[in-house]
Amino acid sequence: MSDLTHPADSAPAATSKRDAAGETAAQVTKAKGSQVTAQAVTINKPVAEVYGYFRNFANLPTFMENVERIDVHDQKRSHWVVKAPGGATVEWDAVVTDEEPERFVAWTSEPGADVPNSGRVEFRDAGKRGTVVSATILYDPPAGFIGKLVAKVFQREPALQSRRDLNRFKQLMETGEIATSAMNRQQHDEGKNG
Amino acid sequence: MRALTWHGKHDVRMETVDDPGIVNPRDAIIKITSTAICGSDLHLYDHFIPSMQAGDILGHEFMGEVVEVGPKSTLKKGQRVIVPFTISCGSCYHCNKSQFSACPNGLPADNQDLGRQGYGHEMAGLFGYSHLTGGYAGGQAEYVRVPFSDVGPLVIPDGIEDDKVLFLTDILPTGWMAAENAEIEPGDIVAVWGCGPVGLFAVQSAFLMGAERVIAIDHFPRRLELAARFGAETINFEETSTYDALMEMTGGIGPDACIDCVGLEAHGGFVDNIIDQIKVSTFLGTDRIHAIRQAIIACRKGGRVSMPAVYGGFVDKFPLGALMEKGLTLKTGQTHVQRYTHALLNAIVEDKVDTTFLISHRLDLEEAPKGYKMFHDRQNEWTKVVLKPGMGVGKEAVAA
Ligand SMILES: NC(=O)c1ccc[n+]([C@@H]2O[C@H](COP(=O)([O-])OP(=O)(O)OC[C@H]3O[C@@H](n4cnc5c(N)ncnc54)[C@H](O)[C@@H]3O)[C@@H](O)[C@H]2O)c1
Ligand SMILES: [Zn+2]
Ligand SMILES: [Zn+2]
């Protein structure tokens, strides 16, 4: 579904058996990151609604579990504060490099980011199925002290993390809530789920 | 509140746990009036299903009174409802196709990885059935939190007793969908493996859908007797060679449709079953699949195999060749409960289906551990156990 396709076929570049990150990066403006993860999810809502919610980056922490806060400075610039183990946080500034309303938005982190990253989220009208959202994220596994701190969040299967985030996005859009098996508010606030 | 909790193989206990409360806007809290133990619960009791955690509250067949509602629930306090065991959103791609048990939106995102890894896709959220299906607290308790309460629960009209409608939550639709998946045509001969609650409802449903003859297979005389009440012919597999008998009884053609209502804990000392048991005890495989093998081997050429029975993992010696060479159709799945509840409630009201004949024992919820033990150890007499909070300990009611 992604615009970022493999040269040999119509599959997403991120599913390449050769150089998934390289083939993806070649197609992303100002790409940063040596690793790639790509996920697609179908959301049974019109593209305007899905894109509209997502493009207001201040909404993202509602379904992105590790994102504590996003300060939106202007149409292009935002500041991300992301939870790391031990109560610490990592931060970076992100800038939108390219976008087309209701089609895609691409971004890259500014120099000095704790975790350099870039990516592209595409939205495609899928008729009766709703909207297909494809997220492609390039990132650098963090190094050093900070790296150890955030390893748990980013290095350990970022693919899982972004899939879970996208599934929560789907749940929120389709049902108005995010599934939890917490038995009551208290358990929910203590983080019990599943 | 009081609830039945799982602690390990053959270890379930009544404990005092946190009260449930509203978490999401579409939630409701139900005060349980009746809840049953299912054959599927025995798979948990025997610890055949992975991803259980000590303290998990069991139970997915339950009904009761609405006592609290979230702002987006369509239920009202005081209403009596049955609650499907599948937690389905009602608005996703799958729910729109009435494939409610395929809904991904009731399963917390953190629980979706296991299913993706094992099955290629996440499971649906289910009540009280391991963390693979969400880790939701079940209804063998005084109260339960019900998500998407505007979609699943069905309001029960006054004047219909609990026991008549309780099985709308699972086993009645399961038996019904099993027969539907067998694509029964008038005049068909249908064979049903297993005369537990699911098999017994499959027998009844098969007749209602026009089967001319139904042949029911089990080894418990009491259970075979219940199947015979609805006009089924019976095969006791301890006494009789099932395949040979089926061939004789169908004039060599074989049954038009075969329904496996046994599942991953098939009984019997058959050779393939013994190999499976060795594997299960050495963790090489998790499922004993004798019944489904036999159903495929016995089914007539061009026939249909329906498999409501639960399987969890990988198996070998699966007769894939027979499935192909004989041109069989195989249909299966967790039941799409919400698809059937309205029509089956009408069938109950109109006395078209008998839903209470299989209940052998009614116990106080406090006696749930005994209910599990007896339903597990004495399957012949304990055909279905219904638990009732506040009924009174020691007031056990046994069906005649
Ligand atoms: N698909 C669904 O959504 C769904 C819903 C409910 C239950 N189930 C499953 O359906 C199955 C049956 O449930 P139940 O409540 O009736 O269970 P149960 O344990 O009460 O009944 C199973 C019956 O099968 C008989 N049996 C065992 N081995 C046999 C064999 N080799 N040949 C013939 N009969 C044999 C047993 O004697 C028993 O009477 C279970 O696997 C359960 O998990 C599936
Ligand atoms: Zn059940
Ligand atoms: Zn759904």
Side-chain angles (χ1 to χ4, degrees), chain A residues 155-190:
Chain A
Q155 223 164 1
R156 198 205 59 179
E157 312 200 58
L160 270 191
Q161 190 60 48
S162 61
R163 160 139 317 276
R164 289 175 178 183
D165 286 345
L166 276 186
N167 285 332
R168 275 185 284 267
F169 182 36
K170 172 183 166 72
Q171 293 181 339
L172 186 64
M173 290 287 101
E174 290 185 340
T175 75
E177 51 190 55
I178 292 172
T180 171
S181 60
M183 263 172 84
N184 50 38
R185 265 279 140 206
Q186 189 186 342
Q187 281 191 3
H188 183 261
D189 296 344
E190 285 164 3

Side-chain angles (χ1 to χ4, degrees), chain B residues 11-335:
Chain B
D11 181 2
V12 291
R13 308 172 196 166
M14 284 304 294
E15 288 183 325
T16 301
V17 300
D18 283 358
D19 286 339
I22 301 288
V23 181
N24 274 334
R26 295 166 66 181
D27 289 356
I29 306 297
I30 310 293
K31 180 177 197 281
I32 304 294
T33 52
S34 298
T35 173
I37 305 175
C38 178
S40 298
D41 291 329
L42 294 182
H43 303 327
L44 302 174
Y45 191 65
D46 287 333
H47 203 176
F48 268 94
I49 306 284
S51 80
M52 289 297 293
Q53 292 174 13
D56 284 349
I57 300 171
L58 305 189
H60 59 269
E61 300 181 355
F62 56 86
M63 64 180 296
E65 185 194 325
V66 179
V67 290
E68 224 184 305
V69 290
K72 294 255 173 70
S73 173
T74 49
L75 297 175
K76 293 185 181 59
K77 281 188 199 175
Q79 282 179 326
R80 248 173 99 225
V81 293
I82 61 98
V83 181
F85 76 92
T86 41
I87 301 173
S88 316
C89 79
S91 48
C92 68
Y93 181 76
H94 300 282
C95 285
N96 283 346
K97 291 185 179 303
S98 288
Q99 293 175 336
F100 295 100
S101 73
C103 176
N105 285 339
L107 189 66
D110 294 358
N111 297 67
Q112 297 193 355
D113 311 328
L114 261 174
R116 283 205 161 247
Q117 284 155 12
Y119 303 149
H121 289 89
E122 69 292 329
M123 302 290 88
L126 308 180
F127 289 103
Y129 214 74
S130 89
H131 292 258
L132 190 61
T133 65
Y136 282 96
Q140 287 162 4
E142 288 181 289
Y143 297 89
V144 66
R145 170 184 164 242
V146 176
F148 303 142
S149 66
D150 52 329
V151 173
L154 180 69
V155 178
I156 301 300
D158 289 340
I160 307 174
E161 54 172 319
D162 277 19
D163 292 354
K164 273 198 153 178
V165 291
L166 176 59
F167 303 141
L168 285 169
T169 56
D170 177 358
I171 51 173
L172 174 59
T174 296
W176 185 265
M177 186 167 113
E180 199 174 82
N181 279 344
E183 293 170 4
I184 296 164
E185 294 164 8
D188 271 356
I189 306 177
V190 179
V192 176
W193 275 256
C195 296
V198 171
L200 290 168
F201 280 130
V203 167
Q204 253 194 94
S205 305
F207 277 123
L208 284 169
M209 291 178 195
E212 189 172 299
R213 295 166 57 199
V214 177
I215 303 170
I217 305 152
D218 205 303
H219 61 141
F220 291 121
R222 172 75 189 147
R223 292 182 170 216
L224 287 169
E225 204 181 293
L226 289 173
R229 272 199 208 176
F230 294 98
E233 299 155 56
T234 58
I235 292 175
N236 183 328
F237 68 75
E238 297 284 13
E239 309 282 337
T240 299
S241 155
T242 307
Y243 170 80
D244 294 343
L246 283 172
M247 289 307 120
E248 290 291 308
M249 292 163 84
T250 58
I253 289 179
D256 298 290
C258 293
I259 308 181
D260 170 10
C261 302
V262 177
L264 55 82
E265 298 188 56
H267 308 163
F270 315 100
V271 179
D272 57 355
N273 220 356
I274 291 167
I275 295 169
D276 286 346
Q277 272 185 30
I278 294 168
K279 286 195 172 169
V280 166
S281 53
T282 53
F283 300 103
L284 289 172
T286 50
D287 298 350
R288 287 151 34 187
I289 63 160
H290 183 79
I292 187 63
R293 284 189 186 109
Q294 203 170 51
I296 289 170
I297 295 297
C299 193
R300 77 149 159 91
K301 288 174 282 182
R304 288 92 54 190
V305 179
S306 161
M307 190 177 82
V310 165
Y311 295 92
F314 297 86
V315 295
D316 59 9
K317 297 201 191 50
F318 184 76
L320 196 56
L323 190 68
M324 186 277 159
E325 299 293 349
K326 296 203 288 179
L328 305 182
T329 304
L330 176 62
K331 282 195 172 184
T332 180
Q334 296 282 357
T335 306

